[in-house]
Amino acid sequence: MSRWTLYSLAQLRPPNTAMRTYFQQKWTAKADTRAYHGEQMREKKWARLFKRSIPAVVPMDHKYLARHDGSEQAAGRGSGADSQDKPRAPPMTPYMQMAYYPIERRLDTAIFRALFASSVRQARQFCVHGLVKVNGKKMPFPGYMLNPGDMFQVDPTSVMFATGAPKERSSTARRVAKEKAAARAEAREAHGGQTPRQPTPEAVVQSKGDAPSPAELKKHLQAMMTDVDGVLAEDVGAKDKQKFRAFRQAVKRAIGLWRSASPESISTLDTQFDFLKTQLAGRSAPPSARSPDAVEAPLFSAEDQTKLRQAFDKLKLETEHTSAWNNRNAAAPYATPWRPRDYMSAFAFIPRYLEVNQNVCAAVYLRHPVARPGLAEVPTPFSIETGQLAFNWYLRRR
């Protein structure tokens, strides 16, 4: 009953009652059902959890009970009154399909039923690794028995990894990797079968001439941030402070993406900062020093705005792709944009006794699963006959 062999569930057949004894039928039903229900548990542990009493709910018509006292059910016995057309009887309650309901209380099983993991064993791994909380506290025990009202939560990143499609390398990535491997093999052959020593960062900088390294650009940006803070600490007007603060945010974004920064973007920031200081100095000059016919230029010219926008357009797009939901993200361990695994459709249902919130990857265990007329709330792919035989096996061994 592995998640990789779902075809076996479609090939299930009712037990063979013609060629097997009753003991053989019960043993086969027990083996088949245990391969799906609680296969991560030992048999002795499950035998201790098994209970003869099965919770069930029988709906009762309150209007009928208020109108009759029960004696009308015996009226007309033997006189033909009971042979009249009666309303259709409600479907039978499949009690024995609830044989494995204690397993549904386990924390690892509830995580799997809530679609937070692709298998019960993966949900068990989440618990052991400390990624699950019950009522706000970390719960490392996958066998914790939930009580009605308990809330459990799983780390959302782990849930996306568990239920998302696995990452597959594109044809371009495979071709590039093959070319790099061939280049390394040629380099080893050229150096007598030894891997050539990689050049140091200093040698790379010297070979490129006077081109600054990303670390130097980062230091330059940090120094620029200090200068902006020094200007904001002075007695500056409110409108000027707004412009310098907007410029400070641009520098801050550039520092966060210093590995991909280029000298052109840094020079644009330097020009912008010098322009702001020039405008600020012109505004702070005494009125006598200003010409009467001079017209104040805008703080951000159209040319400077275009340069700044072009310099940070690429960095902004990269930031949005890494932070926006369901966009391409090379650092994610699952395929992006996110999509469910191929086999999730077979398990894409949530039982009635769980209330799940997919936004925060949390769920509430409302109550224990019960049997109703025509419905057993324990999810199972087996027929009623198989469930009855499995229940009778453990009932005899108690």
Side-chain angles (χ1 to χ4, degrees), residues 4-19:
W4 306 110
T5 58
L6 292 178
Y7 66 90
S8 59
L9 299 181
Q11 294 178 354
L12 292 177
R13 297 293 183 269
N16 185 4
T17 58
M19 304 298 294

Side-chain angles (χ1 to χ4, degrees), residues 80-139:
D82 55 346
S83 62
Q84 302 295 328
D85 294 337
K86 295 183 179 180
R88 183 178 179 182
M92 299 179 62
T93 304
Y95 292 101
M96 298 184 185
Q97 288 287 86
M98 300 284 296
Y100 293 100
Y101 90 90
I103 296 180
E104 302 298 317
R105 291 186 56 189
R106 288 174 57 93
L107 180 59
D108 52 1
T109 305
I111 292 173
F112 171 63
R113 298 298 186 196
L115 302 180
F116 294 156
S118 58
S119 65
V120 182
R121 289 186 175 271
Q122 193 174 47
R124 181 185 183 90
Q125 186 184 37
F126 287 167
C127 298
V128 174
H129 289 184
L131 303 174
V132 182
K133 293 183 179 180
V134 176
N135 297 330
K137 295 183 179 181
K138 186 183 298 184
M139 179 55 63

Side-chain angles (χ1 to χ4, degrees), residues 257-295:
L257 300 171
W258 64 275
R259 294 183 183 274
S260 58
S262 61
E264 291 78 10
S265 62
I266 304 303
S267 62
T268 304
L269 288 174
D270 288 335
T271 305
Q272 191 68 32
F273 184 56
D274 295 338
F275 177 76
L276 288 176
K277 288 194 296 184
T278 303
Q279 293 293 328
L280 182 62
R283 291 190 179 192
S284 60
S288 59
R290 305 178 187 176
S291 61
D293 299 334
V295 179

Side-chain angles (χ1 to χ4, degrees), residues 343-357:
Y343 53 82
M344 283 298 295
S345 59
F347 301 107
F349 68 94
I350 298 176
R352 295 186 176 186
Y353 51 86
L354 291 178
E355 185 69 26
V356 182
N357 187 344

